[in-house]
């Protein structure tokens, strides 16, 4: 009975001090409304971070529609690059799901392989993104070259920062999970962040890249 | 190693392919000569569809306990109301038509 309750609390061992602090009753009689605090905190972070991106993307969309002579720097080559980047990022979400499910199934070697795959795909995405940045910079579009440059580099830079942070976070979680110092619930929470980064990209591509080809 | 972990990603493949298909539809629509306003609306609707699938199946919100789901609703509403603060600036910018590069 006690073991089952411990699993629900995030698969962490309950120490004697915790038992003394909360008593056995709190562990055995779980509230039907109880929410794992780690996961809940990540959801609150995701919602607050979504506001940041939402504000930037709304501003971009608004400026894009309201400005008749908006800069249109993207050509077919850029679209192919964006398609590749998007497929890489969605695939990384898939491998992250594999990592989360494998860790829950206590298959650590497979979870680690999926985590490394996610990191590799995230790094590939970042490299493709930076390559595209250099192409734009080479054509004279910079952070200070006009409204397009300012908004483009701000939004994609913020997203790229999230991707790089995510890769670092996955690396740290993977290392500690491999060493047995973190649990599958940590992998799951990191996965939530990674999927969020993927979802944000679903909005960045249409607004920033694809509206480039509108009439 | 449990038997269930053999095909861990297989159950997510339908959602994965739908997400890629939605994205490819977005790319297709981008080249259909829509006006900026129409294209933004169309693409945002498709992006919202993608986000819904991602939230429900990749982030497992569909399988989460109701307590988490219900707690996130007022938080999201609060966040959306807070975003309302930027609308006034947006209306001001509409009449200014800021210059592009």
């Amino acid at each position: 009975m006690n073991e089952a309750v411990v699993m629900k609390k995030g698969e962490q061992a309950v120490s004697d001090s915790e038992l003394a602090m909360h008593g056995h009753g709190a562990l055995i009689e779980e509230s039907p409304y109880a929410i794992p605090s780690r996961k809940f905190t990540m959801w609150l972070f995701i919602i607050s971070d979504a506001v940041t991106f939402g504000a930037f993307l709304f501003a971009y969309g608004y400026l894009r529609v309201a400005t008749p002579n908006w800069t249109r720097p993207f050509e077919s080559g850029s679209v192919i690059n964006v398609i590749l980047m998007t497929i890489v990022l969605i695939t990384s979400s898939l491998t992250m799901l594999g990592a989360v499910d494998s860790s829950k199934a206590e298959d650590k070697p497979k979870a680690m392989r999926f985590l490394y795959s996610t990191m590799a795909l995230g790094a590939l995405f970042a490299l493709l993104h930076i390559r595209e940045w250099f192409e734009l910079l080479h054509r004279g579009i910079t952070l200070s070259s006009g409204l397009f440059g300012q908004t483009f580099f701000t939004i994609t830079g913020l997203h790229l920062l999230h991707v790089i942070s995510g890769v670092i976070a996955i690396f740290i979680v993977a290392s500690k999970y491999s060493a047995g110092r973190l649990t599958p619930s940590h992998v799951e929470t990191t996965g939530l962040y990674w999927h969020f980064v993927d979802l944000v990209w679903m909005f960045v591509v249409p607004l920033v890249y694809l509206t480039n080809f509108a009439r | 190693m449990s038997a269930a972990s053999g095909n861990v990603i297989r159950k997510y493949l339908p959602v994965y392919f739908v997400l890629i298909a939605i994205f490819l539809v977005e790319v297709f629509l981008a080249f259909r000569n829509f006006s900026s306003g129409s294209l933004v609306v169309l693409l945002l609707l498709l992006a919202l569809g993608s986000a819904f699938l991602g939230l429900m199946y990749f982030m497992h919100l569909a399988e989460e306990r109701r307590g988490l789901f219900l707690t996130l609703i007022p938080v999201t509403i609060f966040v959306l109301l807070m975003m309302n603060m930027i609308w006034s600036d947006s209306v001001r910018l509409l009449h200014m038509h800021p210059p592009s590069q």
Side-chain angles (χ1 to χ4, degrees):
Chain A
M1 179 70 182
N2 212 9
E3 272 185 24
V5 174
V6 170
M7 289 299 285
K8 282 179 184 171
K9 280 178 70 65
E11 297 176 12
Q12 286 174 314
V14 179
S15 64
D16 289 343
S17 59
E18 280 179 300
L19 282 175
M21 202 185 312
H22 303 294
H24 288 80
L27 293 172
I28 295 166
E29 198 171 329
E30 193 187 11
S31 163
Y33 304 107
I35 302 165
S37 58
R38 187 178 301 124
K39 192 187 287 185
F40 183 58
T41 308
M42 180 53 80
W43 272 108
L44 290 182
F45 168 75
I46 285 170
I47 291 173
S48 61
D49 211 19
V51 179
T52 311
F53 277 107
F56 276 120
L57 288 171
F58 180 83
Y60 183 92
Y62 206 98
L63 291 168
R64 170 70 183 83
V65 173
T67 310
N69 58 336
W70 190 254
T71 308
R72 296 166 185 245
F74 302 118
E75 294 157 7
S76 54
S78 300
V79 174
I80 291 167
N81 195 47
V82 165
I83 290 173
L84 192 61
M85 286 162 70
T86 306
I87 289 173
V88 165
L89 203 57
I90 297 176
T91 307
S92 75
S93 263
L94 192 67
T95 54
M96 194 70 211
L97 285 166
V100 171
D101 281 13
S102 300
S103 65
K104 282 181 178 173
E106 296 179 8
D107 187 351
K108 195 176 270 189
K110 184 168 261 183
M112 291 305 296
R113 281 199 296 275
F114 276 124
L115 284 170
Y116 288 137
S117 305
T118 308
M119 277 190 280
L121 289 165
L124 176 62
F125 175 88
L127 286 175
L128 288 169
H129 209 150
I130 289 168
R131 187 185 73 166
E132 189 196 27
W133 272 16
F134 274 112
E135 274 181 28
L136 287 175
L137 291 170
H138 185 69
R139 285 155 54 187
I141 297 171
T142 65
L143 196 60
S144 57
S145 64
L147 205 53
F148 172 79
Q150 290 167 2
T151 49
F152 174 81
F153 284 110
T154 302
I155 292 172
T156 58
L158 188 64
H159 184 263
L160 186 60
L161 185 67
H162 277 71
V163 171
I164 293 169
S165 307
V167 171
I168 294 169
I170 293 169
F171 174 74
I172 293 169
V173 170
S175 305
K176 292 193 171 184
Y177 171 68
S178 175
R181 284 187 286 161
L182 291 181
T183 64
S185 72
H186 290 95
V187 179
E188 184 184 13
T189 312
T190 314
L192 280 177
Y193 172 80
W194 191 254
H195 299 313
F196 167 71
V197 171
D198 185 8
L199 289 194
V200 169
W201 186 247
M202 304 280 187
F203 288 90
V204 172
V205 171
L207 276 175
V208 176
Y209 290 91
L210 298 182
T211 52
N212 178 81
F213 303 99
R215 241 189 302 133
Chain B
M1 174 178 169
S2 69
S5 67
N7 299 310
V8 282
I9 60 172
R10 183 172 289 177
K11 65 177 176 179
Y12 300 110
L13 284 178
V15 179
Y16 170 76
F17 286 120
V18 169
L19 287 175
I20 289 182
I22 290 174
F23 170 65
L24 292 177
V25 168
E26 287 177 351
V27 174
F28 173 76
L29 289 175
F31 290 96
R32 297 303 293 175
N33 210 21
F34 285 104
S35 66
S36 296
S38 308
L39 188 62
V40 166
V41 171
L42 272 174
L43 295 180
L44 273 183
L45 286 174
L46 286 167
L48 283 171
S50 300
F52 176 80
L53 287 174
L55 280 170
M56 289 296 152
Y57 300 106
F58 278 16
M59 297 170 90
H60 297 123
L61 207 51
E63 299 166 17
E64 282 294 347
R65 58 180 70 192
R66 190 177 291 180
L68 175 64
F69 200 90
L70 292 178
T71 312
L72 292 176
I73 291 173
V75 175
T76 308
I77 292 171
F78 173 75
V79 156
L80 290 174
L81 286 175
M82 291 302 287
M83 278 188 74
N84 194 40
M85 292 173 72
I86 65 170
W87 291 170
S88 53
D89 253 3
S90 305
V91 173
R92 181 175 59 81
L93 284 171
L94 178 67
H95 301 294
M96 286 170 63
H97 287 289
S100 181
Q101 184 195 0

